[in-house]
Amino acid sequence: MASAPQSAEADRPGPGSQTALGPQSAHAVPGPQAAPGPQSAHAVPGPQTASTPQAGQPAPGPQAAPDALGPHTTPVPQAAHAVPGPQGTQGGPQGPFAPPAPQGAQTPAAAPRTLQYRFDGPEDAPVLVIGPSLGTTWHMWDRQIPELSQHWRIFRYDLPGHGGAPAHAAASVAELGDRLLATLDGLGVQRFGYAGCSIGGAIGADLALRHPHRVASLALVASSPRFGTADEFRRRGVIVRTNGLEPMARTAPERWFTPGFAAAQPAIVEWAVQMVRTTDPGCYIAACEALAAFDIRAALGRIGVPTLVLVGAEDQVTGPAEARTLVAGIPDARLALVPGASHLAPVEQPAAVSDLLLMHFSTAWQQDTSAAIPVLPHVTAPAAPSTPFVPVAEIAPAAAAPDAVAPTPDDRHEQGTKVRREVLGDAHVDAVNDTADAFTEDFQELVTRYAWGEVWSRDGLDRRTRSVITLTALVTSGHLEGLAAHTRAALRNGLTPAEIAEVLLQTAVYSGIPAAGAAFAVAQKVIQEETTPPA
């Protein structure tokens, strides 16, 4: 029986009524007893305050509604949703995805360096870690659990501030990976398979690069070695800081689903919107910053584990082009293109994704005696008739990998270029570089090394403070030609429009009304451009 973790958000808007989402994969176990097992005896260190239902007592909450997409549906208990909160509160928000008999859902309430997680599947099976996309919770994988938990012990986790998880923001993809390893270390899990969607895939690729001895096999779903441009994600952070998460929630369905699916499944669209709305804005912004800085294109050749790259054929976020970049760079990688799916392929085409993951991890999991991985258990087919296992989408043959590009040594110019791009944005720096010639190149070298590689790179002040000083200096000196770029930089460095206005008001007192008035005009235009959500 599932544990019922405490919830601090019993009154927050939930993602709608529980609704099963369609016919299961051929190997799904019918009925709510698909993944029985006691709660794990190993929990992340920290006090546990959640109460647990008595044996035979169902988890609180209504049962699932009939399947909206097909006739084969079985009521299932409410999914355990680990949310920190006051003592004595049970349960949590429900979603349309509800896997049977969840086990071991835990919240690391006293351990901000770990992640909120849950287990499904037999305790003695090898562990398969599954990671979510930005703005989603572990429930995005609910429809894969009945199938995969027959073969593996499934470990799912939430990103910080997602799904009610503690809002301890992580500054980078590597830090998220470190928290995941700390959580698994506390549970005694040393080696595991890993599948992750979008930022969840980035975490898996980072672990395969930095801790190759821990990852047995890898699946990158709707992922990329570099997510768009740094400017795109930093601007997304500016929009959320200014307007909250509503603009991201409103546009989530068009980023995540094909138009036909979104029109046919309004309950799932509402569930997706609610997932984003209930995410902590600070943690969402931090994740955007982490993706802005993520770039492993030069390191793909060092990923040495069997890798499946899975992408929806209609994904407009990290689509087939990004998937082919991964396959071309990772030596032992294969591509699976899923028809009729966009970014959240596990939700939109669950049977295809389940079959592809089952095929990949069943055939590519490398048994290593030194890693003490249990042999995959033989699973007896259910008594109910089932169709033979046939993948819905085909895994393409592995492509030959190019030689890995060796990283260049770091120096002040490289550090300055990195900081300059992070603060001013790629578009600005590219425009400056495009206009440089033999006459100006030495000056640009001086600016990059001295201003950005030394002064802006010092630890004595944070970037917010440096932006305040820079805005003040530009207005006072009358150098308004640089004010627009540094207003954008101030927004990306964490200043709000209201704070920028306060800086200009303060400057007006000491530098004069005319100078500040001209500065307000420049800053107002930039703020409107940067903080207006996409239509």
Side-chain angles (χ1 to χ4, degrees), residues 8 22 181 322 408 420 450:
L181 287 186
E322 288 81 0
T408 56
R420 193 178 191 182
Y450 178 65

Side-chain angles (χ1 to χ4, degrees), residues 251-291:
T251 57
E254 65 190 57
R255 293 195 309 272
W256 289 352
F257 307 123
T258 58
F261 181 86
Q265 297 294 333
I268 301 178
V269 169
E270 178 61 20
W271 161 82
V273 168
Q274 290 297 336
M275 272 197 303
V276 180
R277 281 178 178 154
T278 54
T279 298
D280 176 77
C283 290
Y284 188 98
I285 293 169
C288 288
E289 292 290 334
L291 288 175

Side-chain angles (χ1 to χ4, degrees), residues 6 29 39 67 94 121 168 220 225 229 235 256 280 299 366 404 418 420 460 473 482 497 504:
Q6 65 188 68
V29 178
Q39 177 179 351
D67 194 326
Q94 300 179 33
H168 302 293
L220 305 177
T229 68
R235 182 164 184 255
W256 289 352
D280 176 77
Q366 300 299 299
K418 176 177 179 291
R420 193 178 191 182
L504 298 182

Side-chain angles (χ1 to χ4, degrees), residues 83-126:
V83 184
Q87 292 186 357
T89 305
Q90 287 189 350
Q94 300 179 33
F97 306 153
Q103 304 170 36
Q106 300 289 340
T107 299
R113 296 297 179 185
T114 56
L115 298 174
Q116 175 172 288
Y117 71 94
R118 66 176 284 160
F119 272 119
D120 296 274
E123 290 189 353
D124 58 349

Side-chain angles (χ1 to χ4, degrees), residues 48 65 75 131-132 156 173 187 220 244 270 277 320 335 343 426 457 483 501 512 521:
Q48 298 294 327
R156 286 184 283 172
V173 169
L187 297 165
L220 305 177
E270 178 61 20
R277 281 178 178 154
L335 175 65
H343 194 57
D426 288 331
S457 297
L483 187 63

Side-chain angles (χ1 to χ4, degrees), residues 389-480:
F389 171 65
V390 178
V392 178
E394 184 178 356
I395 301 178
D403 294 336
V405 179
T408 56
D410 193 17
D411 59 11
R412 290 178 187 176
H413 183 274
E414 184 174 350
Q415 175 66 14
T417 299
K418 176 177 179 291
V419 174
R420 193 178 191 182
R421 288 185 176 277
E422 290 174 354
V423 173
L424 295 179
D426 288 331
H428 176 87
V429 176
D430 289 342
V432 170
N433 291 339
D434 288 344
T435 59
D437 55 19
F439 182 71
T440 61
E441 63 182 0
D442 287 342
F443 174 72
Q444 290 301 326
E445 179 76 7
L446 172 68
V447 170
T448 300
R449 284 181 175 273
Y450 178 65
W452 298 102
E454 294 189 23
V455 176
W456 270 90
S457 297
R458 291 173 65 86
D459 295 330
L461 296 174
D462 60 30
R463 290 186 183 176
R464 279 175 51 91
T465 305
R466 292 188 187 277
S467 280
V468 169
I469 296 170
T470 302
L471 292 176
T472 304
L474 289 172
V475 176
T476 302
S477 63
H479 295 308
L480 299 186

Side-chain angles (χ1 to χ4, degrees), residues 1-5 18 32 51-64 76-81 90-94 98-103 105 118:
M1 177 62 65
S3 61
Q18 273 189 330
S51 54
T52 306
Q54 300 297 320
Q57 178 183 349
Q63 290 188 331
V76 293
Q78 176 185 2
H81 200 125
Q90 287 189 350
Q94 300 179 33
Q103 304 170 36
R118 66 176 284 160

